Amino acid sequence: MAVDLLLGLQWGDEGKGKIVDVLTKNYDIIARFQGGPNAGHTLEFDGIKHVLHTIPSGIFHKNAINIVGNGVVIDPVIFKKEIDNLKKFDLDIKSILLISRKAHLILPTHRLLDAASEAAKGKAKIGSTLKGIGPTYMDKTGRNGMRIGDLELDDWKEKYRSLANKHEAMINFYDVDIQYDLAELEADFFKAVKELKELTFIDSEEYLYQAQKAGKKILAEGAQGSLLDIDFGTYPYVTSSNTTAAGACTGLGIAPNQIEEVKGIFKAYTTRVGSGSFPTELFDKVGETMGRVGNEFGATTGRPRRCGWLDLVALKYAVRINGVTELMMMKGDVLSGFEKLKVCTAYNYKGGKIEHLPFNIEAENVTPIYTEMDGWSEDLTKMSKEEQFPKALKDYIVFLEKELEVPIKIVSVGRDRIQTIHR
Ligand code: IMP
């Protein structure tokens, strides 16, 4: 079997970019399967930090081809900026970055619709990144969307106009004050489309099929996290795609029986950005310290992330939904210095104890039940092998492996590629 998956198991921002970058040497193809520029995949090497939004995180390695799959939504304007940022590297983008003709396009009016929809929701807003993700996937499932392949047709601008006009009517329907200059947005969009068309468009499902037949190793890269999945996440405070393992099949055209390893990434604690319930969220000094030490600010929006203890109830749910075979624990170093650590192992739910994620995890229904463990004070960031880990960290890892029934294969102890400990 040729395909491994790599997925976030929490509310996103687990560190997928870093791990894809670390693992790319083992693969021939890195293929992103869902989401769009709402994602911010951060990787760091040679002292420089890189943030990717749509482009797969294998792009800095010359050995691999990177594919933007059919399940992804692409904003040409943001894509152009990503490509421009790559120009300083000696990369032959046209041959190492391939884009599915079936991927959908985010139009400027999708972004405006996102803003109008959020403004109309008031306090109930999703906390969207405002990149037009929801409206673009709505047009996809509503069978109105524009795809990358449409750009190769002579009449694509007519199709664009008719969809954008419809969007403008919808924006007017929302009774909110959204200021915009569509002519200016469109000028940027058309310029970016022109550059996008210079890249390589492919029938990616066919390409990936032939690659599998030829024995190539493929890593499918997810975006966001399982708890933001449109079906299995904390609805409605979710994103608009399937972030879980099944999304790799629909977002790339990969058959389920071709999947070998499912690599699940989680932080040693929990974060969330945007609205929605978060049972283990901390509002005290501990949460504030996690945010500061972990530099918990959104890579796409710069918003501060909410922080809290590790939630094993939610994590077990994600492990099961995805069929995770290997775990990767990120940001272990951020937990250094806490005298005691807490891990949520069950919820008090409507007066009883439960160990699964219920339909509604709003704060008034759910109180976390914690297991307390000893913390450690050692700085992990300079450690290069597991033997150097303090005993309390080893105990933390063993406890999690026992609870989750899946081995933790990587422990990350810093942002750089080299701060990665394989077990
Ligand atoms: P949207 O996908 O931009 O519509 O945002 C929907 C929800 O998902 C919001 O709560 C966002 O903050 C969250 N979200 C979207 N993308 C990411 C991500 O890459 N990391 C973390 N949260 C995200």
Side-chain angles (χ1 to χ4, degrees), residues 105-241:
L105 279 168
I106 301 176
L107 312 190
T109 41
H110 280 130
R111 268 186 276 138
L112 298 172
L113 270 174
D114 213 356
S117 161
E118 284 283 82
K121 282 192 163 123
K123 274 197 178 141
K125 70 173 183 182
I126 306 296
S128 157
T129 61
L130 302 179
K131 301 294 176 199
I133 305 298
T136 305
Y137 279 113
M138 278 165 72
D139 269 339
K140 175 178 177 173
T141 51
R143 297 158 296 177
N144 301 310
M146 275 191 75
R147 299 185 290 175
I148 287 287
D150 289 329
L151 298 175
E152 294 174 318
L153 307 176
D154 293 336
D155 67 346
W156 78 266
K157 281 201 175 159
E158 284 147 48
K159 200 167 174 184
Y160 168 85
R161 190 73 275 143
S162 126
L163 191 54
N165 286 349
K166 193 175 98 181
H167 291 162
E168 274 218 281
M170 288 163 75
I171 293 162
N172 291 333
F173 170 81
Y174 285 107
D175 192 16
V176 291
D177 184 23
I178 300 281
Q179 303 290 331
Y180 61 90
D181 178 346
L182 190 55
E184 195 182 314
L185 295 173
E186 285 185 342
D188 284 349
F189 179 77
F190 290 133
K191 192 163 162 241
V193 165
K194 197 160 170 262
E195 289 197 26
L196 186 64
K197 286 174 76 173
E198 279 163 24
L199 299 178
T200 312
F201 301 165
I202 58 162
D203 297 329
S204 55
E205 60 286 356
E206 173 64 15
Y207 184 97
L208 287 166
Y209 171 71
Q210 295 299 345
Q212 289 168 76
K213 236 174 125 182
K216 305 270 186 214
K217 278 294 276 177
I218 300 162
L219 181 67
E221 175 185 6
Q224 291 85 44
S226 300
L227 301 175
L228 289 171
D229 182 277
I230 183 72
D231 283 284
F232 297 106
T234 47
Y235 192 89
Y237 301 101
V238 293
T239 191
S240 298
S241 59

Side-chain angles (χ1 to χ4, degrees), residues 245-287:
C249 298
T250 57
L252 291 172
I254 284 188
N257 61 356
Q258 294 307 306
I259 296 169
E260 190 165 342
E261 300 292 348
V262 180
K263 298 168 188 288
I265 303 202
F266 68 101
K267 272 183 200 169
Y269 49 101
T270 311
T271 62
R272 174 164 205 175
V273 63
S275 321
S277 54
F278 174 3
T280 61
E281 183 170 9
L282 292 168
F283 301 94
D284 58 7
K285 249 191 124 29
V286 174

